[in-house]
Amino acid sequence: MPLPARRIRSEDWRPVGLDGLEHNALTVVRSARNHSVLAGPGAGKTELLAQRAAFLLQTGASPAPQRILAISFKRDAARNLARRVRQRCHPEHAARFDSLTFDAFAKSLVDRFGQALPERWRPTPDYGILFPKRAHWEDFLDRASSSLTKPESQAAVRALSVKDFERRHVLAEPIPEAGWPTNTAGRWAGQRFWDEQLRGAARSYLTFPMLSRLAELLVRVNAAARNALALTYSHVFMDEFQDTTQAQFDLVQTIFHGTRTVMTAVGDNKQQIMRFALAMDDPFTAFEEAYGAERIPLRSNYRSSPELVRMQHVLARSLDAEAVEPQSRTASSIPDACCAIWDFRGANEEAQHLARFIAAQMREHGLKPTDFVLLVRQKADDYAGVLAPAFQAAGIPLRNEAAQVGAQMLQELLTEPLSDAVVLLLRFATAASAGRAWSESLHLLSELHGVEHADERARRRQARALDAFAQQFLERFPLPPQTLEAARPIVQEIVAFLGRERLVAAHDPYAHGDWLQQVESSVAQHLWSSSVGKTRWPAALDDYEGTHALALMTLHKSKGLEYHTVIFLGLDDSAWWSFKYDSADATAGFFVAFTRAKQRVVFTYTAERGARREIAPLYAMLHAAGVQTLAVQAAP
């Protein structure tokens, strides 16, 4: 029989898996109060939440059968936090920790209780997910105005801002149960949009922010559901809180405000780069006022060298004049300048020099391609076309994380639960020794089948099923697929083993439309392209995950990642065209890019791509931090 979870007295509890935490972090971990935690780059936000979960679960501060709810902005962040809690806690404890994204949390509520919504707000049970772009809003407003008979009414609707329509007129406030009064053009158009999406076709189509609004309405009018949620969760964690939208905040408010649930919000207001995705202007102040939460800063930076941390603080002060000066907890490992701006005559010279520089750094410091990242503001494909030949000539695999694979960008595909499951089971089935892959595969299978850790008989049955799957798989697919037609049955075999219905039940987005089929197709396509020319499964899977490749990605996709050296290409007006429209958002993105680095940051510029007049303030900040500009000429 597996050993039961042991309860630890709170005074005897110590951080799990590390030597210690800074004083402020330990205060939050042990606290019974509501807190907002301002945690700068490299402060260990995820580790803080994992340690807090361990403390609450292991000491009984979150008593069974109550649970802890962690809500993150991104799927990979939610998955990473759940994995850390499993590593630090007994399985009985970890089973009471729910780590979800905001979108998944809202969607799960609508899926469970949506048919109890008031009739005018009730979506069809088989509703689809809508991902509207600007053209969608333009088309809607054009159709809506044309449907009106009075010229002045048509003009009022046409005058609505396409850019702000969703934020101001569709999602701005909680949904009134009886519907909005249509006494303004914006109110009329907003209500019409909701009506179209809910009942304009045989099937409803809703955006994720709309689902947050519907979820808030249903718990507001359904006291039983609201009370059940508040009683279920003793504690709620909200990660990357700076990116929280008003709809998400209102949902959490409606469920937990005024209850005994203890709230912890963690993030960094200097890294708010999701305003385009409807993030609130100042969510921390709103949270502190609503919950009487105490603000606690984390002062340590466990990622970047002391000189980089000093420079980061100069940039931070431009975003927040009251930013707390952080303390670097790591040492410098390079003898030369840790940050510079490199000017090139052209993009080809830039590519050649960067490839040679990285190759030399790898030799000199014993680094790998994955210790470096190439960041761009946008249009990674344009940069990849110039960079790829130079890096290939230098013998460095370059991987464009923004490349399209089926219906998704590569980096997004790799965060899909199905992609994770396929790689995990392939690692287990094809490795000579697969200890970690075996235990993670068993956890995945048990989770899909609802098997408790204490159910030893069922877990033995799952273990036998895994072993049988591995044996049969290698007999059928001894080599990586060399064609797309050969890759498809491999993915289908894994989906069949896991159970299509169980995948759909476990991951809400797979329940609607043909999204699961699209992801399945993309996984097969990427598996094939990763396997071409490979004769061994481990090499193909390494290629699939980019284990040995240097990544090229946009700065928005770099958030939460870290690298020895960050090279940001294209510090020019063309790439940063939005700076003159929203300098605060652009500066926050610039700060995020800078703070991914452990030891070195390089910014590159060439007049071939654009001038640098509009973004002169960014250059001024770098120069104020002591960053030098160097003219670089690639060697022949």
Side-chain angles (χ1 to χ4, degrees):
M1 290 287 292
L3 294 175
R6 183 171 64 91
R7 183 166 174 171
I8 302 172
R9 296 191 309 171
S10 60
E11 59 267 30
D12 294 334
W13 184 89
R14 298 290 181 272
V16 184
L18 50 104
D19 293 335
L21 293 168
E22 69 167 272
H23 174 75
N24 281 1
L26 195 56
T27 296
V28 174
V29 164
R30 292 178 171 274
S31 177
R33 296 186 53 191
N34 299 327
H35 279 106
S36 71
V37 183
L38 271 292
K45 294 183 286 291
T46 304
E47 187 60 43
L48 166 74
L49 294 177
Q51 294 294 337
R52 178 152 172 73
F55 172 81
L56 296 172
L57 294 166
Q58 292 169 347
T59 64
S62 174
Q66 286 188 293
R67 308 174 70 82
I68 297 172
L69 173 64
I71 316 177
S72 301
F73 193 80
K74 296 166 61 178
R75 283 180 303 195
D76 49 349
R79 189 167 54 247
N80 182 32
L81 179 54
R83 185 179 294 120
R84 290 204 196 190
V85 172
R86 290 201 305 273
Q87 292 170 346
R88 286 151 181 74
C89 292
H90 188 281
E92 285 183 23
H93 289 148
R96 292 196 289 118
F97 184 79
D98 297 332
S99 185
L100 305 169
T101 63
F102 259 115
D103 287 343
F105 178 57
K107 189 175 184 304
S108 69
L109 294 178
V110 174
D111 290 347
R112 289 163 60 193
F113 307 114
Q115 295 311 297
L117 278 163
E119 185 176 357
R120 78 166 302 156
W121 297 107
R122 190 182 306 154
T124 59
D126 63 342
Y127 69 87
I129 300 297
L130 177 71
F131 298 97
K133 298 185 182 301
R134 183 182 178 89
H136 185 98
W137 300 110
E138 290 175 339
D139 175 68
F140 167 76
L141 289 172
D142 182 62
R143 287 187 292 102
S145 64
S146 298
S147 71
L148 296 168
T149 56
K150 294 181 179 180
E152 61 271 23
S153 298
Q154 292 180 345
V157 172
R158 290 195 182 104
L160 296 174
S161 166
V162 173
K163 177 183 176 183
D164 297 328
F165 178 71
E166 182 183 23
R167 181 192 289 269
R168 294 184 58 189
H169 304 298
V170 178
L171 303 167
E173 298 175 5
I175 297 171
E177 186 175 351
W180 277 297
T182 56
N183 53 353
T184 68
R187 284 294 195 210
W188 177 85
Q191 185 66 65
R192 183 182 176 94
F193 181 80
W194 273 100
D195 291 341
E196 275 196 13
Q197 298 310 126
L198 287 166
R199 291 179 296 280
R203 180 184 182 195
S204 302
Y205 280 91
L206 304 166
T207 67
F208 277 114
M210 292 171 77
L211 286 173
S212 288
R213 279 296 180 212
L214 288 177
E216 189 279 331
L217 174 62
L218 73 84
V219 292
R220 185 176 0 121
V221 301
N222 189 330
R226 182 175 68 251
N227 294 337
L229 287 164
L231 289 171
T232 296
Y233 293 112
S234 64
H235 294 76
V236 172
F237 304 165
M238 291 179 285
D239 194 13
E240 299 292 354
F241 190 66
Q242 74 277 354
D243 292 327
T244 300
T245 69
Q246 188 66 55
Q248 293 166 343
F249 183 73
D250 289 345
L251 170 59
V252 171
Q253 276 274 81
T254 299
I255 300 171
F256 298 109
H257 189 260
T259 72
R260 299 178 65 180
T261 302
V262 180
M263 311 292 289
T264 306
V266 181
D268 183 5
N269 51 6
K270 301 182 297 301
Q271 296 189 63
Q272 189 184 62
I273 59 173
M274 302 303 291
R275 292 188 192 185
F276 72 93
L278 310 177
M280 295 170 66
D281 289 335
D282 187 6
F284 286 99
T285 297
F287 174 80
E288 289 156 9
E289 291 176 352
Y291 293 95
E294 179 186 0
R295 178 177 292 198
I296 290 188
L298 298 189
R299 301 178 182 277
S300 296
N301 184 317
Y302 297 96
R303 176 186 301 152
S304 302
S305 67
E307 183 63 7
L308 277 181
V309 168
R310 181 194 67 77
M311 293 180 174
Q312 290 170 12
H313 186 57
V314 174
L315 302 184
R317 292 291 297 273
S318 69
L319 291 162
D320 180 2
E322 298 179 0
V324 174
E325 185 169 3
Q327 299 173 348
S328 173
R329 301 296 185 184
T330 190
S332 177
S333 65
I334 58 174
D336 50 340
C338 66
C339 185
I341 302 164
W342 290 352
D343 281 6
F344 294 94
R345 290 187 301 188
N348 285 321
E349 283 198 357
E350 175 188 65
Q352 293 166 18
H353 181 81
L354 291 178
R356 290 169 180 163
F357 169 75
I358 291 173
Q361 288 291 302
M362 289 168 57
R363 290 191 299 269
E364 183 178 348
H365 297 288
L367 300 172
K368 305 181 294 295
T370 50
D371 290 316
F372 300 81
V373 68
L374 301 177
L375 294 184
V376 295
R377 183 74 172 84
Q378 57 186 359
K379 298 182 179 179
D381 289 347
D382 293 348
Y383 292 85
V386 179
L387 293 165
F391 278 80
Q392 183 178 8
I396 301 173
L398 181 66
R399 176 181 169 104
N400 180 7
E401 298 284 340
Q404 198 73 18
V405 181
Q408 295 171 284
M409 286 195 302
L410 175 57
Q411 193 171 7
E412 293 173 347
L413 173 64
L414 297 182
T415 68
E416 284 287 344
L418 178 59
S419 177
D420 258 2
V422 166
V423 172
L424 180 60
L425 286 172
L426 287 176
R427 291 279 189 197
F428 162 64
T430 62
S433 176
R436 181 180 175 276
W438 183 87
S439 61
E440 288 288 329
S441 297
L442 181 59
H443 173 80
L444 170 65
L445 199 60
S446 298
E447 198 172 51
L448 287 174
H449 285 260
V451 174
E452 299 290 338
H453 177 76
D455 191 344
E456 189 175 6
R457 179 178 297 179
R459 286 178 65 82
R460 283 201 301 267
R461 187 165 59 248
Q462 301 290 359
R464 288 195 296 270
L466 271 176
D467 291 339
F469 165 79
Q471 182 177 348
Q472 294 167 11
F473 181 88
L474 271 182
E475 290 173 359
R476 290 193 60 195
F477 307 106
L479 299 174
Q482 299 303 299
T483 65
L484 180 57
E485 290 68 26
R488 286 189 179 119
I490 292 173
V491 179
Q492 292 166 359
E493 180 96 354
I494 293 173
V495 170
F497 173 68
L498 294 174
R500 185 175 297 275
E501 295 78 12
R502 295 186 185 279
L503 285 168
V504 168
H507 306 291
D508 289 325
Y510 295 163
H512 296 272
D514 61 349
W515 187 240
L516 178 56
Q517 289 76 17
Q518 289 190 50
V519 173
E520 192 175 338
S521 176
S522 297
V523 169
Q525 186 175 331
H526 186 46
L527 180 62
W528 161 56
S529 63
S530 303
S531 300
V532 172
K534 312 288 194 312
T535 58
R536 297 177 62 252
W537 271 109
L541 296 175
D542 285 350
D543 197 291
Y544 187 103
E545 295 190 290
T547 305
H548 306 296
L550 189 154
L552 166 68
M553 67 179 68
T554 61
L555 71 85
H556 278 88
K557 296 300 181 182
S558 72
K559 200 161 184 302
L561 305 176
E562 57 183 38
Y563 301 89
H564 176 279
T565 295
V566 169
I567 299 174
F568 199 109
L569 289 86
L571 195 55
D572 56 61
D573 294 344
S574 177
W576 292 79
W577 58 269
S578 63
F579 185 85
K580 61 182 177 181
Y581 302 109
D582 191 345
S583 61
D585 183 72
T587 304
F590 184 76
F591 181 73
V592 167
F594 196 106
T595 57
R596 301 307 92 202
K598 299 178 183 179
Q599 296 291 330
R600 190 196 309 269
V601 183
V602 172
F603 297 93
T604 74
Y605 172 80
T606 171
E608 259 187 19
R609 286 192 290 258
R612 44 187 171 191
R613 291 184 296 272
E614 297 288 348
I615 61 167
L618 295 182
Y619 278 90
M621 280 192 289
L622 289 176
H623 292 150
V627 179
Q628 301 296 310
T629 300
L630 307 172
V632 180
Q633 185 173 350

